[in-house]
Amino acid sequence: MGERGRVGVGVLAVVLVGAVAVLGARWLLAPGGGGPLRVLFHTEVLRRGLTDWVGGGTMPPPGVDAAETRIHPAVDPPPGADSYAFLQSDDGRPVTYSPCRRISVVVNPRGAPPGAVAVVTDTVRLIGRATGLALTVTGTTREPYRPDRQPYQPHRYGERWAPVLVAWAGPHRIPDFDHGTVGFGGSVALDPVVGDRSYVTGSVVLDREFFADPTHRGYMGEVLLHELGHVVGLDHVGAEDQVMWAGGLHGASLGDGDRAGLARLGRGPCTPDL
Ligand SMILES: [Zn+2]
């Protein structure tokens, strides 16, 4: 623990994972799109692993990849837009990533359809612009998605929080993928004893078999937007014209409510103790 012990950083970790689900491929092939979509809000997949981690995990030195001030300018939310919600709040303020830290995203292309890395790169750029967070795809990884993913993996990524992982998996690893879900996304938040709760890393996992079907690949950008929305802290909303709509896939791009929420998520505090 070293330095971290001295600054007294607690390790109350909370993982929230959202999911996009579709009710079978039949809808997706229906003329005109739209249709019966379902989004599950799923909190249990990573929670188990984090319980283990909190019990025995170590943490990186504080402040790695962090600057003194925010790296990119804050984004102004569209005026009047209110169709957004946050996965976690603390005293009425959303839990966020630190705008003073560079947040790497790595892609494990194993099982991904052709062109997937480019779609991830474009989508991460969109979320980065909409939040003002320093989110960047920095490369590929061989790390497979695991429900009990460790947020600190010094052997793989050095002495820093693990990057946000985007990976593909099948139903053997994610049983929900056999029941209409096509993606999960979420982040790990930590509470320092003094200071603000903050996300430190997250992951997105997409259904390898669903996206192996060429007729489904056009949905990948929307699913990634939705799941990366969860990663940076957005919850579902009831407004159908938003990417974070609770109903599922429906051909949406970022709406004003999504953008307002993302802008607020990029205006959180810097957390140098993490
Ligand atoms: Zn969701």
Side-chain angles (χ1 to χ4, degrees):
M1 299 289 278
E3 290 286 310
R4 192 151 303 269
R6 287 200 286 120
V7 299
V9 175
V11 287
L12 169 63
V14 183
V15 182
L16 291 166
V17 181
V20 170
V22 296
L23 291 179
R26 193 161 58 90
W27 163 74
L28 292 166
L29 304 174
L37 301 178
R38 180 171 61 105
V39 175
L40 304 174
F41 182 56
H42 201 298
T43 60
E44 295 307 315
V45 174
L46 287 181
R47 195 186 292 279
R48 282 192 304 273
L50 255 294
T51 304
D52 297 343
W53 178 74
V54 168
T58 57
M59 298 170 80
V64 175
D65 298 325
E68 294 283 315
T69 56
R70 64 174 304 132
I71 295 167
H72 296 316
V75 175
D76 291 326
D82 59 1
S83 294
Y84 60 86
F86 301 122
L87 283 171
Q88 292 190 66
S89 294
D90 225 3
D91 289 335
R93 291 178 306 171
V95 175
T96 70
Y97 276 92
S98 169
C100 297
R101 194 163 70 84
R102 297 190 182 282
I103 306 152
S104 292
V105 180
V106 293
V107 185
N108 184 341
R110 185 181 166 88
V117 176
V119 178
V120 175
T121 302
D122 289 348
T123 310
V124 166
R125 194 175 291 137
L126 275 176
I127 295 287
R129 284 199 191 122
T131 53
L133 294 173
L135 269 173
T136 316
V137 173
T138 54
T140 57
T141 181
R142 295 168 67 100
E143 182 191 357
Y145 175 83
R146 294 169 54 92
D148 60 347
R149 183 179 192 234
Q150 300 296 298
Y152 180 42
Q153 303 179 41
H155 59 287
R156 194 187 291 274
Y157 297 114
E159 292 189 341
R160 53 168 48 79
W161 292 109
V164 173
L165 173 69
V166 178
W168 280 256
H172 63 286
R173 202 179 283 274
I174 313 288
D176 296 270
F177 285 167
D178 259 352
H179 301 97
T181 299
V182 298
F184 286 101
S187 280
V188 178
L190 298 184
D191 268 345
V193 168
V194 177
D196 298 277
R197 186 187 299 176
S198 181
Y199 295 124
V200 293
T201 187
S203 52
V204 169
V205 61
L206 301 184
D207 184 345
R208 167 188 305 191
E209 293 179 7
F210 180 81
F211 288 107
D213 182 336
T215 66
H216 294 164
R217 285 183 197 157
Y219 294 101
M220 196 161 57
E222 182 186 357
V223 173
L224 279 165
L225 266 184
H226 182 101
E227 302 306 343
L228 287 166
H230 283 314
V231 164
V232 296
L234 284 181
D235 199 355
H236 294 144
V237 295
E240 194 170 338
D241 52 352
Q242 308 300 318
V243 156
M244 298 312 294
W245 180 49
L249 286 170
H250 58 309
S253 54
L254 288 180
D256 268 6
D258 296 316
R259 289 186 182 280
L262 291 169
R264 286 195 62 196
L265 287 164
R267 290 170 164 266
C270 294
T271 51
D273 282 348
L274 293 176

